[in-house]
Amino acid sequence: MTMHMISANHATAAAAALAARANRSGRGFCSGVYPITPQTECIERLCAEQIPKGSVVRVESEHSAMAVCMGGALSGARTFTASSSNGLAYMAENVFAAGFYRLPIVMMAVNRTLGPPWNIWVDHGDTLMLRDSGWIQFYCEDNQEVHDTTLLAFRLAEDEEVLLPVMVCQDAFVLSHTMTMTDIPDQEAVDRFLPELRLPHRLTDTPRVVGGLDFPHQTEVHRKQHLDAMGRVPGVYARIQDEFERCFGRRPPDPVVPYRMEDADLVLVSMGTTASTVRTAVDEARARGVKAGALRLRMFRPLPERAIREHLAGRKRVAILDRDSCPGLGGIVWGELRGLAAPGAVVQNYLIGLGGGDIRPEHVRGVLDDLASRDESGEPHFMEAGA
Amino acid sequence: MNLEIRLHGRGGQGGVTCAKILAALYVTLGKSVQTFGDYAGERSGAPVRAYTRVDDRPITNRNKVYRPDHLLVLDPTLLGDETVSGLAPGGLLLINTPDPPEAFRHRFGRFRIATIDATSIARKQGIGTRSVVIVNTTIAGAYARVVGLPREALDRAYASIHLERDLPAARAAFDAVSVGDSPAGQPAEAAVPPPDQSVYVLPLTRHAASAPTGLKTGAWRTQVPQYVEHLAPCNAWCPAGNDVVGFLQTLLHEGEEAAARVLSETQPLASVCGRVCPAPCMEGCSRRQYDGTVNIRELERWVGDHATVSRRAERAPGRVRRIAVVGSGPAGLAASYEIARHGHEATIFEAEQALGGVLRTGIPAYRLPRDVLEREIDGILDLGVEARCGVVLDAPGVASLSRKYDAVILATGLASLTALEVPGASLEGIEQGIRFLHDVNLADRPSLHGHVVVIGGGNTAIDCARSARRRGAERVTIAYRRTEQEMPAIREEIEEAQHEGVEFQLLRQPVAFHGNGRVAAVELAEVTLGDPDETGRRRPIVSERTSRLACDHVLLAAGQSADRRLLRLGDTIAEGRIHRHGSAPNLFVAGDFATGEGTVAHAIGDGRRAAGRALAALGEPATIFVRPNRAEAVPISGIHFDRFPLRPAAVGDRLPAAERVRSFAETNRGLPDAREAERCFSCGHCTQCDTCLVYCPEGIIDRTATGYAVDLNFCKGCGICVAECPRDAMEMTTS
């Protein structure tokens, strides 16, 4: 293991390359890539990596990038790609296809505001658009977590009980382009952690149709299998956390990460790097005698419903901070979580940091002040943090 | 330790990398770091920020830096209240500027100010692109010093992020940074204004103002592109001082009459030089490194032969000077031309019966037809130059001229011939090649026969050999003491001689001639080449091994020197002027007589120079021609070869060799047209090709009547136009 001062983009590429090499005794590696700001650095670095078995294919669009990954995965290769924002929108048809084919593809998604008008900064709306595509989704908080999650995503995706694609999400620029010291493991350790991929439905010498016509009942069967697979993810993930810790000496965070929740009355729920700022604000509030606590939602699909219910049990006031917007509803995360709070609790939605606005502790303090003053929840609250 | 650093720079200055270097510096101390930049606004020249955080504990703050402890300003034009916002009193303000810290004290006295001229250091160290200097790696060195980091931290940090190449600049900045006095006390306005945007929750979204239009992005600029003419290699190489690129481009766009006007500024003998000049310009030509040099010699011939421009000279407004020119070779003719063009009177004194000097007596007609020479000499005489032929002068004669004329220019060339000091050199049938050529050219010398051996490797040797072939010699052999590479003769002439059946005995030097009264054989010693001599050519070492070559005639073409009988004992030559007993009489020297450089082009340049010196010495307005410095010419890296399609050079049509040797008819019939000029890159000279206009990312370069105009309201100084210019006709300046 060695420390490197690198961006999360490069940390992702390093993880993908380690995973790629770890499958050298199997069917190798295959990646279709197409650049988009702020993901470009990642695939540039990946293209420069030495991968003895496999290839990184530079294609003409995101749609094709995912198609290459699907072909590669169906032939038994370990697969990876990366995209962002409108690139994901263009890729969407094949994102769903990869989900429904149950292909263990890992994709790094840099969360960037969907345009137009064009904006390259962080907003979670792009990957939340794909929440129903049948992919597992993680939202990361720092560079090391991005790297570690990418590594374990392969293990999770390829687990025979799961066989689902995984999206590892990171905030544009706040992570993708920010350099911090990151611990990159040795190949030998990764080789131990990531066994050779054995895809049960991979294409072999016998010709076979994949994804032909389903009649209604067959679709019902496929959907049920997909739901069940998602249901097995939390259990498998817990096992992988243990395994990861054994191999690398640090434990990846849980699907839901609590902070100072022991006696909290006011709970702030967020995803991605917003959670770092929220923790600072919680500390400040605690220092003022306010009983604040926080939850970070790290795994969004499958939604860790049970863990969330447990954490929110008995809490009177919950603020859901959405770095996204769903016109006609409010925040997407709020829409998903509002039913999981304790009966009668105030679950107030705050839309904050859209389009990359720099959410600062004073903004979060404003959220706490507003939440504390509420006896019932109201319309989603729109907040301005941008410069 | 808990440190926040903010950098202000402009897109392209490398602020993000600079912030990364600062982080790397603290990593060497074992600190946690975080570094990032502002993105999307980082267009070249736009104000951009970058940030570095340092802490003893893991860093979880994801915000931009609003209250920096250290502030670096990579471009001093960015300094303002908004830039320093949040910097606490006593905080470090490091500025890239040539000014000392005191210069900023009035405005920013509440901070600890340090300054470093990182731009100069980076420029000196060649950091950046051809068009834009990049200062990031330099200023980081100054930062290390100001915050008290050891020099070794720089070495380790730069190595850790693979920037070793920029370490010398960083070290230079480490040593050169100036730190001002620490601020005394807390000034009244010490309270730090709260950063803006420190709002809590706004009740309503403010209506977004429309994006600002008419943003004057020119304010982002640190450097500005300019159209600057740079010295073209052909011009730098031309010893006559001709505007080669100028006449080529004029020929291309305006035709031969206009091109002839350009040439006539410096060149009275375009048709002559277009035939016999060794063309150093073609050696310097950038296109030589690509698909072959532009055939400048034959294009000059095209202009000389096809233009009908008649030259006129106005009489000098004040006193008309009378200057005697002794000798009418290219130096004398050029000097006379220059004198006449300035409106003064030149009188030529020529020993032969006709003007032209070596052009007439030495160069055979198959290279330079007599009618061509006559026409150009007539053109010079048309300016009012007087000529007196058949006048043989000696030192008293020169003294007499110097009393009658305001000045005398001696341009008698290399009239003294080098004799060969070997046994048998006085046998009959051995003669000086120059005499032979003189007789062939002027006196219709009777035919030779048998085997003629020519000694030498210069143009005279080749001329002798080829003339001998035309005068009936059955076999001609050139014996030369070095190899073909070292031959001073024009390459094409050597090749044509070979085609005409001239044989070459290389690495051979005559050590004796044998014969009974008349030469019957030459004894040639084998030569090996040693170390290079002062001319750069390898020194010949004569061996003991010899062989005899039977022959009927021997022509010696082994060198000439100036005939100093025109001077007095003790005369010295300095700066083209004769010095006698500590004074400088009105005697000047020009051409081979003065320099021995031996080409028509050199002689023309020196003739003009001598005329300039004489007129200047007489107090007349005149410029003394100075040969351009080749080192200042556009380097080959300044030319974008990829913008020019491959196209081989055009060459003049040659008579077949078998036909050539039968007569003295001109062997080269010249180019069929002037399209060869299209191959000129126009190095360093704008051709209005529109590349700058097309590549400008802002679209703010417009055509004008004479060239282009850059709209400085919007030019961000990105340097793309300069980098893309195919011919190095632009540069970035800081003004």
Side-chain angles (χ1 to χ4, degrees), chain B residues 634-670:
Chain B
V634 170
I636 205 68
S637 59
I639 305 296
H640 285 283
F641 286 154
D642 55 339
R643 301 287 164 71
F644 301 96
L646 282 167
R647 175 171 162 181
V651 290
D653 183 30
R654 262 56 171 187
L655 281 180
E659 202 177 311
R660 288 206 299 254
V661 295
R662 284 202 295 270
S663 78
F664 278 79
E666 187 169 23
T667 57
N668 182 357
R669 287 181 288 206

Side-chain angles (χ1 to χ4, degrees), chain A residues 5 120-121 141-142 173 177-181 276 358-363 365-366 381-384 386, chain B residues 20 23-24 27 33-36 39-40 60 62-64 66 161 196-202 204-206:
Chain A
M5 186 166 69
I120 61 170
W121 295 284
E141 192 191 325
D142 62 41
F173 299 105
H177 283 62
T178 297
M179 285 171 270
T180 64
M181 296 305 282
S276 306
D358 191 13
I359 307 170
R360 286 151 49 189
E362 48 264 46
H363 295 121
R365 184 177 167 181
H381 201 124
F382 199 97
M383 298 181 61
E384 292 173 283
Chain B
K20 182 179 175 184
V27 168
V33 296
Q34 176 196 64
T35 179
F36 56 104
Y39 287 88
T60 57
R62 299 281 164 199
N63 294 128
K64 294 173 182 178
Y66 298 96
I161 49 180
D196 57 2
Q197 298 296 324
S198 61
V199 288
Y200 286 177
V201 181
L202 288 179
L204 283 172
T205 304
R206 287 171 299 190

Side-chain angles (χ1 to χ4, degrees), chain B residues 605-622:
Chain B
D606 202 51
R608 285 177 50 227
R609 187 179 298 118
R613 281 183 176 134
L615 289 171
L618 294 169
E620 299 297 334

Side-chain angles (χ1 to χ4, degrees), chain B residues 134-150:
Chain B
I134 296 180
V135 300
N136 55 359
T137 52
T138 305
I139 197 169
Y143 174 83
R145 169 71 171 278
V146 174
V147 300
L149 295 176

Side-chain angles (χ1 to χ4, degrees), chain B residues 237-240 278 280 331 413-414 459 488 560-562 590-607 609 613 625 627 630:
Chain B
W237 259 252
C238 179
L414 301 174
N459 282 315
Q560 302 136 250
S561 57
D592 277 352
F593 182 83
T595 66
E597 286 169 314
T599 80
V600 177
H602 284 94
I604 290 172
D606 202 51
R609 187 179 298 118
R613 281 183 176 134
F625 164 58
R627 210 178 285 170
R630 291 182 179 188

